[in-house]
Amino acid sequence: MGKSEMLADSTAQKIIKMIEDENRFSAGDKLPNENDFANELGVSRSTLREAIKILTTNGMLEIKRGKGTFVTSNTIISYDNFSDIASGLEDLFEMRLMFEPDCAYFAAERATDEEIETICHYGNEIEKKILSGEDRTFEEQKFHESIANATHNSFVKQFMPIIFNAIKKGVMVLTKNQDVSENNMMDDRLIMEFIKKRNPEGARTAMRLHIIHAMEHL
């Protein structure tokens, strides 16, 4: 994983923290202009652009041409109870089951060495967050996005907002379940191992089991 990509990811996480933890920005708010915001974050404008691209892909930000970058209404999710969060979650995970195992298959076949390194980086970051009890939504999204990108299929990106939504809701519902967290770590290790070995069938099976394990606890 390149240094510039890591810097963009850490910048994206700072922006997420501003939105979700510090409540600095709410849904509909416009982000500061590029120069000011880059200076505040201590990064170059190109790094800020890459971070914004990451958050636009996962549906947290929206770029309105000629107007600026805005926090979307999907970013800060307010629910009265877990039943609201879980609404439609089974269908979202079913969709993942249809889609992601084959992504893992083609990733194992087509990924470059650098892409495999990126996949493993995020897999390891997920494990660190699980062990420390921290929120792992961002790392989960990047892990699955990295696998999807490694398919080298030009249409895969169109499905990622749905996958990100499913992951975000799934983490919120399942994160306190110790069995899910332990399965998550073991499943991710298997997925990474098969992709590193460039074993498509193994990667597909491991991804399928990963999603099924989560569905069992919905």
Side-chain angles (χ1 to χ4, degrees):
M1 185 179 184
K3 185 177 179 180
S4 61
E5 188 177 353
M6 291 179 68
L7 188 55
D9 284 342
S10 65
T11 303
Q13 292 190 65
K14 287 179 183 176
I15 297 171
I16 291 171
K17 187 176 181 180
M18 287 178 175
I19 296 169
E20 296 195 332
D21 296 339
E22 299 171 4
N23 297 320
R24 178 171 168 186
F25 303 111
S26 300
D29 285 353
K30 180 182 175 181
L31 295 186
N33 74 63
E34 189 177 83
N35 284 333
D36 292 343
F37 206 26
N39 287 335
E40 179 184 344
L41 292 165
V43 297
S44 67
R45 287 185 297 167
S46 61
T47 296
L48 176 58
R49 288 188 200 116
E50 286 301 312
I52 287 173
K53 187 186 295 184
I54 290 169
L55 299 179
T56 301
T57 301
N58 75 11
M60 288 189 127
L61 299 177
E62 179 185 8
I63 298 172
K64 296 182 180 179
R65 193 175 297 278
K67 295 182 178 180
T69 303
F70 295 81
V71 178
T72 71
S73 59
N74 297 326
T75 304
I76 301 168
I77 304 176
S78 177
Y79 295 102
D80 292 330
N81 52 56
F82 277 125
S83 64
D84 292 333
I85 304 172
S87 176
L89 193 54
E90 191 170 330
D91 283 348
L92 282 171
F93 270 75
E94 188 175 87
M95 185 270 178
R96 290 184 66 188
L97 195 59
M98 297 174 190
F99 175 71
E100 290 195 81
D102 282 339
C103 283
Y105 179 98
F106 289 114
E109 271 195 336
R110 301 171 180 172
T112 65
D113 290 344
E114 185 177 358
E115 285 170 337
I116 290 175
E117 183 182 332
T118 299
I119 290 165
C120 292
H121 167 77
Y122 285 116
N124 292 331
E125 287 300 305
I126 290 169
E127 185 161 331
K128 289 178 186 175
K129 288 294 178 79
I130 289 173
L131 293 173
S132 67
E134 296 177 78
D135 178 73
R136 63 180 186 268
T137 302
F138 180 81
E139 289 75 16
E140 288 273 11
Q141 290 175 336
K142 293 298 291 183
F143 178 67
H144 289 276
E145 180 186 35
S146 299
I147 292 171
N149 287 342
T151 67
H152 294 267
N153 183 296
S154 59
F155 291 97
V156 159
K157 283 185 179 293
Q158 296 182 25
F159 290 90
M160 293 318 297
I162 299 171
I163 303 302
F164 286 154
N165 186 25
I167 290 170
K168 184 166 187 172
K169 285 188 172 185
V171 171
M172 292 175 76
V173 171
L174 302 172
T175 192
K176 293 181 181 179
N177 189 310
Q178 189 62 35
D179 289 340
V180 172
S181 294
E182 289 178 5
N183 283 337
N184 200 148
M185 288 192 292
M186 290 187 290
D187 293 344
D188 286 352
R189 288 172 191 163
L190 269 180
I191 292 166
M192 289 188 287
E193 192 62 32
F194 282 122
I195 289 176
K196 282 192 289 187
K197 289 181 177 179
R198 299 190 180 279
N199 182 329
E201 288 293 350
R204 176 158 57 190
T205 301
M207 181 65 78
R208 182 173 177 80
L209 286 172
H210 172 54
I211 297 169
I212 288 172
H213 283 150
M215 291 177 74
E216 287 174 345
H217 294 278
L218 291 178

